[in-house]
């Protein structure tokens, strides 16, 4: 049995512990290995030691791109590709409003990875909720026998979703970012109380802009299965936001 996780930068042991529990809670499965994507040799050895301390026997190194001047060059890595994938359905809108071909690339990379690794189960975090649904759709449409499991969002103490990208934030930017979860919770509470969805979301956007977060790609209440826009709350609806801090 092979195991793949999208979440792994191994910056937080909490993430690994949660992944281990998800896999080991599935009948007949046990977490045996973790794929470490695009890590330096030094970090790979450190991460390998960390996962072995957690009782996971194997770590696999996977480099998905070519490095140029110590920085990833995705164009060079895939410039020879003659085959592409253009997903529709849940891949439309939201992320693709600002990055039209984003999920084209995601689909190619995920399929290449799955073909190389042949996992039984893959965990994709709900932090990137649209991506999670796109990968599920990809597996269904292409009849791939891989079970896609949703991983809960892991948060820092102040509520910010854990992400390797957080390391790029300055101290001031990090403080600003802590407001995202606060505004999300406040918006959810008001929508659950019956306030008009569009007005509540616009108020949330205005509050974020008032503290200096001005580039907001989207802030929207969506259906959990097809990502259609919702005008009223239901228990499974998703409040999705994407923005830039800095």
């Amino acid at each position: 049995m092979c195991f793949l996780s999208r979440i792994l930068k191994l910056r937080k042991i909490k993430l690994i512990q949660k992944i281990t529990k998800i896999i080991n809670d599935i009948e007949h499965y046990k977490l045996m290995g973790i794929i470490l994507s695009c890590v330096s040799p030094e970090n790979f050895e450190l991460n390998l030691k960390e996962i072995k301390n957690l009782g996971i026997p194997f770590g696999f190194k996977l480099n998905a791109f070519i490095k140029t001047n110590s920085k990833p060059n995705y164009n060079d890595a895939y410039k020879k590709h003659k085959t592409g994938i253009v997903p529709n359905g849940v891949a439309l809108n939201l992320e693709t409003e600002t990055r039209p071909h984003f999920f084209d690339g995601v689909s190619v990379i995920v399929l290449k990875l799955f073909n190389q690794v042949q996992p039984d189960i893959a965990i994709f975090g709900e932090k990137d909720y649209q991506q999670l649904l796109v990968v599920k759709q990809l597996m269904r449409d292409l009849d791939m026998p891989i079970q896609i499991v949703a991983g809960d969002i892991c948060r820092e103490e102040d509520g910010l979703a854990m992400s390797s990208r957080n390391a790029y934030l300055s101290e001031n930017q990090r403080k600003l970012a802590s407001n995202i979860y606060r505004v999300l919770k406040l918006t959810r509470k008001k929508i659950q109380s019956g306030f008009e969805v569009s007005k509540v979301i616009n108020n949330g956007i205005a509050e974020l802009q008032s503290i200096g977060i001005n580039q907001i790609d989207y802030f929207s209440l969506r259906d959990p299965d097809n990502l259609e826009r919702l005008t009223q709350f239901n228990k499974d609806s998703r409040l999705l936001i994407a923005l830039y801090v800095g």
Side-chain angles (χ1 to χ4, degrees), residues 67-121:
K67 288 188 174 181
T68 303
N69 297 326
S70 299
K71 294 184 178 180
N73 189 325
Y74 297 95
N75 291 330
D76 285 351
Y78 293 101
K79 67 183 179 181
K80 295 182 180 180
H81 273 212
K82 306 301 181 186
T83 302
I85 299 171
V86 183
N88 291 305
V90 293
L92 302 178
N93 301 314
L94 295 174
E95 288 294 329
T96 53
E97 290 176 2
T98 52
R99 297 187 286 177
H101 306 294
F102 176 68
F103 288 120
D104 300 6
V106 167
S107 299
V108 169
I109 291 171
V110 167
L111 284 181
K112 284 174 67 69
L113 191 53
F114 285 176
N115 284 334
Q116 293 173 28
V117 177
Q118 297 292 306
D120 299 301
I121 297 170

Side-chain angles (χ1 to χ4, degrees), residues 72 97 99 107 111 113 122-123 141 149 155 161 203 208 228 243:
E97 290 176 2
R99 297 187 286 177
S107 299
L111 284 181
L113 191 53
I123 299 175
D141 290 351
V149 176
R155 296 188 179 278
N203 288 340
L208 289 170
E228 290 183 0
L243 51 81

Side-chain angles (χ1 to χ4, degrees), residues 193-242:
S193 298
F195 288 90
E196 185 178 335
V197 171
S198 60
K199 288 184 178 180
V200 174
I201 287 178
N202 285 336
N203 288 340
I205 291 173
E207 182 166 357
L208 289 170
Q209 290 174 334
S210 72
I211 60 173
I213 300 177
N214 295 309
Q215 189 174 345
I216 301 173
D217 287 348
Y218 58 82
F219 192 5
S220 184
L221 186 70
R222 298 284 172 148
D223 181 273
D225 299 318
N226 57 32
L227 293 183
E228 290 183 0
R229 191 185 303 273
L230 299 177
T231 57
Q232 61 183 16
F233 174 82
N234 66 58
K235 66 182 182 69
D236 295 319
S237 56
R238 300 286 173 157
L239 194 59
L240 304 177
I241 190 168

Side-chain angles (χ1 to χ4, degrees), residues 95-163:
E95 288 294 329
T96 53
E97 290 176 2
T98 52
R99 297 187 286 177
H101 306 294
F102 176 68
F103 288 120
D104 300 6
V106 167
S107 299
V108 169
I109 291 171
V110 167
L111 284 181
K112 284 174 67 69
L113 191 53
F114 285 176
N115 284 334
Q116 293 173 28
V117 177
Q118 297 292 306
D120 299 301
I121 297 170
I123 299 175
F124 283 74
E126 289 192 340
K127 179 178 71 69
D128 301 304
Y129 191 76
Q130 186 178 15
Q131 177 174 264
L132 167 65
L133 294 191
V134 168
V135 173
K136 285 185 173 182
Q137 175 181 276
L138 199 62
M139 299 301 100
R140 289 194 306 269
D141 290 351
L142 300 183
D143 300 321
M144 296 190 69
I146 300 169
Q147 181 181 352
I148 305 299
V149 176
D152 292 340
I153 297 173
C154 292
R155 296 188 179 278
E156 305 285 359
E157 290 184 2
D158 60 4
L160 182 65
M162 289 185 180
S163 172

Side-chain angles (χ1 to χ4, degrees), residues 16 37 40-41 43 109 146 165 170 178 213 217 236 245:
I16 308 304
S37 62
S40 68
N43 286 337
I109 291 171
I146 300 169
R165 295 179 180 87
S170 67
S178 67
I213 300 177
D217 287 348
D236 295 319
V245 175

